[in-house]
Each structure stands twice: as structure tokens, then as C-alpha cells.
């Protein structure tokens, strides 16, 4: 990798292990989610300090809707609370706040609050913080395919010319570069239906620490690990 590419432009974190973290302490799973917010704050700070331009977080998957109602509502409530608590500081630090996912499934109050925060911070340029909420990779690809199909109905002669970049413009991540590095905490080595299209050539890092234990130093170590990778994109060097 050339020297200027040693720093990933986009780091994505699959924040996993909150429930186990709480269980280890004899507490309810939600206690781990609360503590996980402190890890989010730490990683945002670490990303800004390192000069990373895009930080994305997998906060809630489409499949997570199948969890017990009280856990789902606690997580949604936590999202509202975290936005209320953190937005001044994020805005002050030049963070552009973006939420991507199946927003139709979120309740109206949460959607309004998300809209307000996105509008307020849209001009910020230090870091783009993307929260994937009610997101899954297959959902994203399918909604993109449906939207594109609708557009193509009027121009069937153009279908043969559609390339990957044309298709990617229909994904919810349009305008956000693909993640250079995807880190998953908690020791699980899977993507759990995360950025299936966008992660095609992402470097993957699986770390054993549970999300509430993942802090600045761990983020910095992930950047160091990335700097040693050799990204070939299928080519011979
Ligand atoms: C990650 O922690 C947070 C979400 C998926 C919302 P988990 O809640 O999955 O915690 P574990 O993996 O069960 O320990
Ligand atoms: C992935 O974690 C989703 C998020 C971190 C938001 P899960 O805990 O839902 O994934 P599985 O069930 O272990 O695959
Ligand atoms: Mg989990």
C-alpha cells in the first residue's frame, strides 16, 4: 500500500458483545448496551484524532427486530437519549451525523429526531459518522434493485449498460466511500448481513474484546493492523 493509503478513509465497526459483557457482570443485557455508548464516544474521538474521515457503526440490524420487545425498545430509547446527549459535542467537533437503514420501521418520533440531527450537522466536514440502524446488507441490495428496476421500466434499452457503480448509486450508502476496514468485536467471525456489497474488498478484523471494552487504544490498534495489510483487489503486484 502506498504511504498515503496507510490510513483508512472509512472504518466500520460491528459493535457486538454487549449482552455477554453484561452477563459476565451478572447484569441484564441492556446494561451492556448502556456501557457500549461510552465505547462509541471513545471511537468517535479516536477517529477524529487519527484523521479518519468516515466512521460507521452497525447499531441495529433488520434481524435485531426479532429480539424481545423490551430489549428492542430499550435500544431505540437509548438511540434517542444518546442523540440528545451527544449532538452538541458532535456538532462542535465538526461531525456530520448520518443514519442509514430501513427508516420506515422506526417510530415517527425517532425519525423526526434523526432528521433534525442530520439537518443540523449536514455541513460538518471533520468526520462523517454513519449509524446503520435497522439495516441489513440484503435489505439494502434488494431495495436498490427495486428502485433501479422502477427507473429502468421507462428505459429498458439501458439495462444492458448498467455497471456496478450505477447500481451502487441506489444503495443507501450512495456518496459514502466503501469501508476500507470492518472491525467486529466479541470474537465472532461473521458479517451478520452487514455491508455485503460495500464490503466486497474491505479488510476484515475480528477482535475478541466485547464492545463495551473496546476503547481508544483498541481503535488505534485496529488502524495499526490495517496499515500492515496488503490490498491487492485481485491483481498481481
Ligand atoms: C451488540 O451486542 C448490540 C446489538 C446487536 C444491538 P449484542 O446485544 O449482540 O450482545 P451479544 O452478542 O448478545 O453479547
Ligand atoms: C450484529 O450482531 C448486529 C449488530 C452488531 C448491530 P448480532 O449479535 O445481531 O449478530 P449475530 O446474531 O451474532 O450474528
Ligand atoms: Mg451479538
Amino acid at each position: 500500500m502506498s504511504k498515503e493509503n496507510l490510513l483508512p478513509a472509512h472504518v466500520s465497526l460491528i459493535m457486538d458483545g454487549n449482552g455477554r459483557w453484561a452477563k459476565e457482570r451478572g447484569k441484564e443485557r441492556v446494561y451492556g448496551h448502556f456501557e457500549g455508548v461510552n465505547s462509541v464516544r471513545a471511537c468517535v474521538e479516536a477517529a477524529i484524532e487519527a484523521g479518519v474521515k468516515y466512521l460507521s457503526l452497525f447499531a441495529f440490524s433488520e434481524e435485531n427486530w426479532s429480539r424481545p420487545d423490551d430489549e428492542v425498545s430499550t435500544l431505540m430509547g437509548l438511540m434517542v437519549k444518546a442523540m440528545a446527549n451527544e449532538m452538541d459535542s458532535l456538532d462542535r467537533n465538526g461531525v456530520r451525523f448520518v443514519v442509514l437503514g430501513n427508516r420506515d420501521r422506526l417510530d415517527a418520533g425517532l425519525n423526526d429526531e434523526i432528521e433534525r440531527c442530520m439537518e443540523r450537522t449536514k455541513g460538518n466536514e471533520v468526520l462523517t459518522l454513519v449509524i446503520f440502524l435497522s439495516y441489513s446488507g440484503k435489505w439494502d441490495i434488494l431495495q436498490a434493485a427495486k428502485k433501479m428496476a422502477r427507473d429502468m421500466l421507462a428505459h429498458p434499452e439501458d439495462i444492458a449498460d448498467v455497471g456496478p457503480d450505477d447500481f451502487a448509486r441506489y444503495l443507501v450508502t450512495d456518496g459514502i466511500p466503501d469501508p476500507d476496514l470492518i472491525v467486529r468485536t466479541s470474537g465472532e467471525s461473521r458479517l451478520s448481513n452487514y455491508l455485503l456489497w460495500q464490503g466486497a474488498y474491505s479488510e476484515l478484523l475480528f477482535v475478541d474484546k466485547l464492545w463495551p471494552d473496546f476503547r481508544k487504544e483498541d481503535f488505534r490498534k485496529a488502524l495499526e493492523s490495517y496499515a500492515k495489510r496488503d490490498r491487492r483487489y485481485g491483481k498481481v503486484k
Side-chain angles (χ1 to χ4, degrees):
M1 236 173 339
S2 64
K3 198 149 180 91
E4 63 270 25
N5 291 335
L6 290 176
L7 183 71
H10 180 178
V11 177
S12 193
L13 306 174
I14 301 177
M15 311 184 285
D16 195 20
N18 295 351
R20 279 164 281 173
W21 188 90
K23 206 160 171 213
E24 279 177 2
R25 286 157 182 78
K27 309 231 183 180
E28 297 290 317
R29 292 176 52 81
V30 295
Y31 184 75
H33 300 317
F34 294 137
E35 187 58 29
V37 176
N38 295 323
S39 296
V40 170
R41 196 180 305 110
C43 289
V44 169
E45 284 173 17
I48 292 173
E49 284 164 20
V52 169
K53 298 306 287 181
Y54 295 83
L55 176 68
S56 60
L57 307 173
F58 197 10
F60 193 86
S61 71
E62 280 281 82
E63 291 80 5
N64 289 150
W65 288 110
S66 310
R67 291 189 178 195
D69 289 348
D70 60 338
E71 182 168 346
V72 170
S73 56
T74 302
L75 281 165
M76 293 301 150
L78 189 59
M79 186 69 203
V80 174
K81 214 173 124 214
M83 283 193 296
N85 289 342
E86 307 294 331
M87 211 46 60
D88 284 345
S89 155
L90 290 174
D91 194 22
R92 207 177 327 112
N93 287 297
V95 177
R96 174 166 73 118
F97 179 81
V98 177
V99 174
L100 299 177
N102 190 357
R103 300 254 314 262
D104 292 347
R105 293 184 80 172
L106 306 179
D107 77 41
L110 176 54
N111 262 326
D112 288 349
E113 199 44 37
I114 288 170
E115 213 45 54
R116 226 176 49 79
C117 293
M118 287 178 41
E119 187 58 30
R120 171 179 173 182
T121 62
K122 70 178 182 197
N124 291 344
E125 291 180 344
V126 174
L127 172 77
T128 296
L129 174 64
V130 181
I131 310 291
F132 284 98
L133 193 64
S134 190
Y135 181 86
S136 85
K138 287 189 180 181
W139 165 81
D140 194 5
I141 293 168
L142 192 58
Q143 67 79 29
K146 287 176 184 173
K147 258 197 275 170
M148 195 178 80
R150 252 178 258 128
D151 284 356
M152 289 284 140
L153 282 176
H155 308 278
E157 68 283 2
D158 292 344
I159 293 175
D161 294 330
V162 172
D165 293 341
D166 304 312
F167 180 73
R169 275 196 283 281
Y170 288 93
L171 297 167
V172 291
T173 47
D174 181 36
I176 311 264
D178 288 342
D180 300 294
L181 173 65
I182 296 178
V183 183
R184 182 173 186 147
T185 57
S186 89
E188 311 294 356
S189 310
R190 56 175 172 260
L191 287 175
S192 298
N193 204 357
Y194 192 37
L195 296 168
L196 299 181
W197 175 284
Q198 300 86 339
Y201 266 105
S202 301
E203 293 297 323
L204 305 179
L205 177 64
F206 299 102
V207 302
D208 285 334
K209 274 199 184 177
L210 303 173
W211 175 250
D213 290 327
F214 190 90
R215 295 294 161 98
K216 270 190 177 184
E217 194 46 36
D218 304 291
F219 189 90
R220 285 194 281 260
K221 278 190 200 149
L223 295 183
E224 280 168 25
S225 162
Y226 176 83
K228 293 188 196 120
R229 305 288 179 98
D230 182 17
R231 303 183 77 182
R232 290 187 291 275
Y233 301 99
K235 296 170 191 159
V236 175
K237 289 210 165 160

